[in-house]
């Protein structure tokens, strides 16, 4: 029986089977508890806001619609504000002290934030949300970098995809925890304490699981710590340090870092890093990463993640339990699509086709929701639970499916893999700061958009998805199977910015390299036979 998870290597780039063992997968899972922190926090807060006990404790019960919109916006968006600054701080920590220590430190900050949220005062709730945002902002920026720098090229998409799988599992858990406490726990402080306290679980597991893990070999090389880099690479590849494949990979990493140094200068300071980010061949990658993460948010996913009970109310599903139940199913659909993306599609189909297909499906769903809510008047009155309403719910799930295998995880993966080693942390930090900034805009404005624009909210996100499809079609080249050190062939200073031309440039150079390698091999054979 054919193994559907098997991936075919490029001709001339075959690698020892040992490098595809459990170690890179174990490293990816260990680090991805950071994304579980992010996923759970994204999911639980929207449902917790609708719990009767939470509304009573924090002054939401009996408040006007406008007051509730303001309080909900502030409580939710404080997290994004913290994440924005956490991303910037995480850059300095990861660049100075390494990826591993930065990830572990972010978990400590996250735990502090969860403690503050448990106290039950609005000011401390805001502070706690800011601290958990700091922790998630730092770890979510570093995690894809760390995993991509430790991964074999052939399975890099799958391993970085573990980030999204863990995020979605935690997201589903967050949705269903709220449904469970609403159904089974009396509306006392205990009811909202349970979902808030579960934040300690992924943060604690992140710290414990990262203790035995290695530091990124590429970061170590960039700091001149060659011996440690060899040992780290040897462990994650499951090969001895003197193995020819390992020696060759170390040589490629060193050459790439040295080349980047020569193109800038050896005087490494923050002003120099900023200058490197504006270099031709780098600034285009930054623009591409920023475009991907901005469109990731403006397709509307975080609006549904954070305010899903309100979204389901807007299409006619009333009642706390009904909204939470529908939200929980939404999470399961998105999780299934993400597992399909990371386990099967990303390294077989590729990044670019998934962005295009997923965008078309998600955009169609958004336009239907806009049309239904306008025709039924669901934003101003409760519509009947007829075929149109059921189709609207189905469209939310269709949106979750198409988004789940495309724009959900690919922007994180591509932003981490396309940047040069020397500026990967700085470039990723800049792009993810844009991600958190756009996410802040979305989650802060959504309650007000629903009040003012009504069906136009869905129409707005549908139009943004159309723009995202056009952006991916013209500017996002395929990076499936490309070594990190070969990204210059797709995004270098002399490479066209259009996707198809950039990919053609990579294919031509790779074919020439394989041809040269085969020519050398034939020459060596002829020489041996002559002797």
């Amino acid at each position: 029986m054919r193994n559907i998870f098997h991936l075919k290597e490029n001709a001339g780039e075959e690698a020892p089977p040992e490098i595809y063992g459990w170690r890179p997968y174990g490293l990816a899972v260990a680090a991805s508890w950071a994304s579980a922190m992010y996923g759970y926090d994204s999911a639980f807060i929207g449902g917790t806001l609708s719990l009767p006990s939470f509304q009573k404790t924090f002054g939401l019960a009996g408040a006007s619609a406008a007051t509730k919109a303001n309080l909900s916006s502030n409580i939710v968006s404080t997290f994004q504000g913290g994440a924005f600054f956490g991303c910037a701080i995480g850059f300095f920590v990861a660049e100075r002290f390494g990826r591993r220590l930065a990830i572990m430190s972010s978990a400590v900050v996250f735990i502090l934030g969860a403690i503050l949220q448990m106290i039950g005062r609005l000011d401390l709730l805001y502070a706690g949300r800011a601290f958990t945002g700091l922790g998630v902002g730092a770890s979510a920026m570093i995690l894809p970098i760390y995993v991509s720098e430790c991964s074999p090229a052939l399975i890099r998409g799958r391993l970085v995809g573990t980030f999204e799988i863990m995020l979605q599992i935690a997201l589903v858990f967050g949705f269903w925890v709220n449904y469970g406490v609403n159904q089974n726990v009396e509306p006392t402080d205990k009811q909202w304490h349970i979902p808030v306290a579960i934040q300690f679980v992924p943060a604690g597991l992140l710290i414990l699981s990262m203790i035995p893990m290695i530091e990124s070999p590429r970061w170590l090389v960039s700091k001149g710590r060659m011996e440690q880099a060899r040992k780290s690479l040897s462990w994650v590849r499951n090969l001895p340090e003197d193995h020819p494949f390992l020696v060759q990979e170390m040589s490629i990493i060193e050459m790439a870092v040295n080349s980047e140094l020569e193109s800038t200068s050896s005087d490494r300071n923050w002003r120099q890093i900023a200058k490197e980010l504006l270099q031709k061949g780098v600034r285009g990658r930054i623009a591409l990463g920023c475009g991907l993460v901005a469109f990731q948010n403006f397709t509307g996913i975080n609006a549904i993640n954070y305010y899903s009970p309100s979204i389901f109310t807007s299409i006619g599903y009333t009642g706390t339990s009904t909204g939470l139940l529908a939200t929980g199913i939404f999470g399961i659909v998105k999780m299934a699509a993400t597992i399909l993306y990371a386990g099967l599609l990303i390294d077989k189909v590729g990044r670019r086709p998934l962005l295009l297909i997923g965008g078309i499906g998600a955009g169609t769903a958004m336009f239907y929701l806009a049309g239904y809510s306008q025709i039924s008047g669901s934003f101003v009155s409760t519509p009947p639970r007829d075929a149109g309403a059921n189709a609207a719910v189905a469209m939310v799930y269709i949106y979750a499916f198409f988004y789940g295998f495309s724009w959900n995880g690919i922007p994180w993966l591509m932003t981490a893999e396309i940047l040069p080693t020397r500026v990967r942390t700085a470039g990723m930090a800049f792009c993810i700061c844009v991600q958190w900034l756009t996410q802040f805009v979305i989650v802060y404005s959504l309650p007000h958009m629903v009040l003012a624009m009504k069906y136009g909210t869905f129409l707005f996100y549908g139009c943004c998805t159309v723009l995202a499809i056009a952006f991916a079609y013209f500017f996002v080249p395929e990076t499936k199977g490309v070594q990190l050190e070969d990204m210059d062939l797709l995004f270098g200073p002399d490479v066209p910015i259009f996707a198809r031309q950039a990919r053609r440039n990579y294919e031509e150079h790779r074919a020439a390299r394989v041809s040269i390698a085969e020519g050398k091999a034939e020459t060596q054979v002829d020489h041996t036979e002559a002797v």
Side-chain angles (χ1 to χ4, degrees):
M1 183 178 176
R2 185 168 170 266
N3 181 6
I4 61 171
F5 296 102
H6 176 72
L7 299 171
K8 186 179 178 181
E9 294 174 306
N10 293 325
E13 297 179 1
E14 293 80 5
E18 291 88 348
I19 75 170
Y20 303 120
W22 68 268
R23 292 185 181 186
Y25 290 95
L27 178 143
V29 170
S32 291
W33 282 110
S35 65
M37 297 190 318
Y38 177 21
Y40 182 78
D41 209 289
S42 298
F44 96 92
I45 190 63
T48 301
L49 285 171
S50 67
L51 292 175
S53 58
F54 185 90
Q55 295 199 0
K56 180 181 176 183
T57 301
F58 292 100
L60 289 168
S64 66
T67 302
K68 279 187 177 182
N70 282 325
L71 277 172
S72 296
S73 291
N74 293 337
I75 291 169
V76 174
S77 60
T78 305
F79 175 86
Q80 275 70 35
F84 177 87
F85 291 104
C87 184
I89 294 168
F91 156 63
F92 291 101
V93 176
E95 187 70 11
R96 177 67 180 86
F97 300 105
R99 298 12 176 163
R100 178 174 165 271
L101 184 62
I103 290 172
M104 295 174 72
S105 301
S106 68
V108 175
V109 175
F110 185 91
I111 288 171
L112 176 60
I115 291 170
L116 292 175
Q117 291 176 44
M118 293 287 291
I119 295 172
R121 281 174 39 187
L122 188 59
D123 55 346
L124 294 180
L125 178 66
Y126 286 145
R129 292 285 295 164
F131 273 103
T132 54
L134 280 170
V136 166
S139 61
M141 182 273 293
I142 301 159
L143 168 56
I145 296 175
Y146 175 68
V147 176
S148 67
E149 289 183 342
C150 295
S151 302
L154 186 66
I155 58 171
R156 185 174 63 245
R158 181 180 294 174
L159 293 179
V160 178
T162 308
F163 169 98
E164 276 297 328
I165 291 176
M166 293 284 277
L167 188 152
Q168 296 306 321
I169 291 172
L171 198 84
V172 169
F173 198 72
F175 287 146
W176 285 100
V177 162
N178 281 308
Y179 179 74
V181 297
N182 184 66
Q183 290 289 96
N184 302 298
V185 180
E186 292 294 319
T188 62
D189 282 350
K190 181 181 177 181
Q191 187 187 53
W192 68 266
H193 273 157
I194 291 172
V196 172
I198 290 174
Q199 292 178 99
F200 295 117
V201 176
L205 289 172
L206 175 60
I207 294 171
L208 293 174
S209 60
M210 284 300 294
I211 290 172
M213 290 297 118
I214 60 164
E215 181 52 84
S216 161
R218 285 175 169 85
W219 179 81
L220 290 167
V221 169
S222 73
K223 297 300 179 183
R225 293 154 65 175
M226 301 304 178
E227 187 60 32
Q228 286 177 269
R230 268 189 291 275
K231 287 183 178 179
S232 290
L233 193 62
S234 172
W235 182 86
V236 77
R237 296 291 182 266
N238 196 26
L239 294 171
E241 290 182 35
D242 58 355
H243 191 283
F245 180 86
L246 199 78
V247 172
Q248 181 187 28
E249 187 172 3
M250 272 296 296
S251 174
I252 291 170
I253 295 171
E254 288 179 46
M255 282 193 298
V257 171
N258 289 336
S259 174
E260 291 163 17
L261 275 172
E262 288 168 9
S263 68
T264 52
S265 85
S266 57
D267 180 24
R268 189 68 167 167
N269 55 51
W270 307 120
R271 183 177 294 178
Q272 181 61 34
I273 292 171
K275 200 186 282 186
E276 290 169 19
L277 291 177
L278 295 174
Q279 271 190 316
K280 190 178 180 182
V282 176
R283 61 178 179 254
R285 306 187 209 199
I286 300 293
L288 180 64
C290 289
L292 284 168
V293 298
F295 280 121
Q296 181 188 43
N297 283 313
F298 278 100
T299 51
I301 186 61
N302 282 298
I304 298 177
N305 279 349
Y306 285 98
Y307 298 106
S308 42
S310 301
I311 296 293
F312 282 107
T313 299
S314 74
I315 53 178
Y317 280 68
T318 57
T320 302
S321 294
T322 302
L324 291 175
L325 177 62
T327 297
I329 298 170
F330 166 81
I332 290 174
V333 172
K334 193 147 74 81
M335 180 185 72
T338 302
I339 292 172
L340 179 68
Y341 142 82
L344 184 62
L345 297 179
I346 188 64
D347 286 320
K348 278 185 174 289
V349 178
R351 286 69 159 151
R352 176 181 160 86
L354 292 180
L355 288 174
L356 297 174
I357 296 167
I360 291 169
T364 301
M366 278 292 178
F367 285 125
Y368 178 87
L369 290 170
Y372 167 77
S373 55
Q374 166 65 356
I375 293 168
S376 67
S378 62
F379 278 93
V380 293
S381 62
T382 302
R385 293 277 290 276
D386 55 12
N390 292 333
V393 173
M395 282 296 171
V396 173
Y397 299 147
I398 288 170
Y399 171 88
F401 180 76
F402 278 93
Y403 183 91
F405 69 70
S406 58
W407 290 88
N408 195 39
I410 292 174
W412 292 94
L413 166 61
M414 291 198 70
T415 305
E417 69 184 2
I418 64 177
L419 293 162
T421 300
R422 287 283 288 174
V423 294
R424 185 169 291 127
T425 315
M428 183 76 171
F430 186 86
C431 293
I432 302 306
C433 277
V434 171
Q435 201 272 352
W436 289 116
L437 184 62
T438 53
Q439 193 177 138
F440 173 86
V441 170
I442 295 297
V443 301
Y444 187 84
S445 62
L446 183 77
H448 305 287
M449 288 174 70
V450 169
L451 286 175
M453 296 171 61
K454 298 182 173 57
Y455 80 96
T457 304
F458 295 124
L459 188 63
F460 171 78
Y461 292 130
C463 291
C464 287
T465 305
V466 172
L467 293 176
I469 294 167
F471 177 80
Y473 180 81
F474 288 110
F475 301 113
V476 180
E478 183 54 67
T479 59
K480 180 183 72 170
V482 180
Q483 293 275 0
L484 293 182
E485 287 69 34
D486 283 344
M487 290 295 173
D488 276 349
L489 300 178
L490 285 170
F491 305 102
D494 301 318
V495 179
I497 64 169
F498 294 105
R500 289 186 174 182
Q501 293 168 277
R503 183 68 189 190
R504 192 180 305 123
N505 181 74
Y506 167 75
E507 296 288 354
E508 289 171 356
H509 279 80
R510 189 176 69 82
R513 187 167 57 197
V514 171
S515 178
I516 292 169
E518 288 174 349
K520 286 182 179 178
E522 288 175 7
T523 303
Q524 190 173 6
V525 169
D526 292 341
H527 177 74
T528 304
E529 289 175 351
V531 173

